[in-house]
Amino acid sequence: MKTILRATFAACALAAGASAALAQQPYPSGPVTLVVPFAAGSGTDSVARAVASGLAARLRQPVVVDNKPGANAQVAAQAVAKARADGYTLFMTTNTSHSANPWLVKNLKYDPIKDFTPVARVGELPFALAVNPALPAKTLAELLDYARANPGKLSYATPNSTSLVAMESIKHIAKVDIVGIPYKSSPQAMTDLVGGQVQVYVADLGSGMGMLKTDKVRTLGITTAEPTPLLAGVPPIGQTVKGFDLTSWNGIFGPAGLPPAVVQRLNTELQAVLADKELQDKLGQIGFQVWPSKTPEEFAQYVGGQLAHWRTLIQQAGIQPE
């Protein structure tokens, strides 16, 4: 037993010494982990991998994407909030963890403001409302009319807060009854939409673009205020559902207390990464619009504003925290 304890203490001391040595070296002096709160294949994952590649080249260190899906981004958020604030653990997340969860989850085990250091906004990922083609609805207006005539008989997939809040907002404004079915991942939600297990799904373009352009689903509207050339002929949801206003944003954080010099270095490098035309075109192919904040302070203000905006959306839709 004594031998085991001595070995354990020695290993802990070695690890602590390695961490201390890393902290004393110029940043970064080793691999950086970029935590993503959704599964591989999701829109956020696709953006994270593209940004991680560019950031790694700028930092001259590996940037490893670590998917930690679960509990609507809570698993990843809690892990990052508890991580060492040294710049070696970063969080590529969305409005799910930082705008919606505080109003959707009772007793949330992290604070989106106090537990994180804003580094940079990355951009906006549009979502599209799609239905199983077996439904007779050819437009969003027809879908809403069908739902009114068949209350409670349609179901929609909800693998993330944007899908949930978008559909609940539509339901509230249009006065329709469509049942929400929780999903763990966007790819599985799309699979079940195609298979007819659910009839409606507000999908992110990052993971759903391949299907949204096929006849396996029928795409009826997008969440952006203006049409997108990526889905020609698909109108904004707000044209039919007056008052619909939802933006799905994406950004990078560190744990609370990230050193200002590290924050500035990361922000500077991310600005350079996001200014690359090739990266913008690559992300544009999945519907992602690069929209960086100029400074960490600007991003912090944006996060605070979105937190208040999503509170209004969720309360107006009548969604109760669980």
Side-chain angles (χ1 to χ4, degrees):
M1 179 63 72
K2 290 181 178 180
T3 300
I4 294 175
L5 288 174
R6 281 197 296 269
T8 301
F9 288 144
C12 290
L14 184 62
S19 297
L22 195 64
Q24 293 172 2
Q25 296 176 26
Y27 176 83
S29 301
V32 175
T33 297
L34 184 60
V35 177
V36 175
F38 306 116
S42 64
T44 303
D45 174 73
S46 299
V47 175
R49 292 182 187 279
V51 172
S53 177
L55 186 59
R58 299 283 308 181
L59 294 177
R60 298 178 184 270
Q61 292 289 350
V63 178
V64 181
V65 173
D66 181 12
N67 297 91
K68 290 185 180 296
N72 213 28
Q74 293 180 69
V75 172
Q78 290 177 46
V80 174
K82 295 176 181 178
R84 185 187 297 272
D86 55 9
Y88 291 93
T89 300
L90 302 176
F91 193 24
M92 167 75 85
T93 191
T94 71
N95 45 273
T96 290
S97 63
H98 277 62
S99 302
N101 278 353
W103 317 118
L104 294 175
V105 181
K106 289 182 179 178
N107 303 315
L108 192 65
K109 295 181 180 178
Y110 66 87
D111 187 301
I113 304 299
K114 295 179 180 179
D115 291 342
F116 299 88
T117 301
V119 175
R121 185 178 60 211
V122 175
E124 177 184 359
L125 182 63
F127 279 60
L129 188 153
V131 299
N132 183 281
L135 282 182
K138 299 295 193 298
T139 66
L140 180 54
E142 290 180 1
L143 170 66
L144 298 177
D145 288 342
Y146 183 86
R148 292 188 190 100
N150 297 275
K153 294 185 179 181
L154 297 180
S155 61
Y156 75 90
T158 169
N160 54 63
S161 69
T162 302
S163 298
L164 171 67
V165 176
M167 272 306 303
E168 289 299 319
S169 295
I170 292 169
K171 287 170 55 179
H172 171 73
I173 297 170
K175 306 278 192 293
V176 295
D177 180 11
I178 303 175
V179 180
I181 307 296
Y183 277 79
K184 290 184 177 180
S185 71
S186 300
Q188 184 58 50
M190 181 60 77
T191 297
D192 280 8
L193 177 69
V194 172
Q197 284 78 15
V198 292
Q199 294 77 46
V200 186
Y201 173 35
V202 179
D204 67 88
L205 268 61
S207 66
M209 183 66 80
M211 284 296 180
L212 293 170
K213 288 186 172 182
T214 71
D215 58 4
K216 293 184 178 180
V217 301
R218 185 178 298 130
T219 307
L220 304 183
I222 56 172
T223 57
T224 52
E226 300 294 333
T228 171
L230 294 168
L231 291 172
V234 178
I237 292 170
Q239 288 185 2
T240 301
V241 183
K242 304 302 181 183
F244 181 86
D245 177 18
L246 182 146
T247 298
S248 177
W249 59 268
N250 180 304
I252 293 180
F253 298 79
L258 209 59
V262 171
V263 176
Q264 191 55 56
R265 172 73 192 282
L266 287 169
N267 182 272
T268 298
E269 302 301 356
L270 284 165
Q271 295 291 336
V273 170
L274 297 173
D276 182 71
K277 186 64 166 58
E278 184 176 343
L279 175 74
Q280 292 177 6
D281 291 343
K282 179 179 180 180
L283 294 179
Q285 291 174 8
I286 62 169
F288 188 85
Q289 179 183 352
V290 173
W291 181 36
S293 52
K294 295 180 180 179
T295 65
E297 292 76 19
E298 179 187 314
F299 182 40
Q301 291 179 356
Y302 178 80
V303 171
Q306 284 293 299
L307 183 62
H309 178 61
W310 278 73
R311 177 183 184 179
T312 300
L313 289 176
I314 289 167
Q315 290 181 343
Q316 287 179 343
I319 306 172
Q320 297 300 316
E322 296 181 355

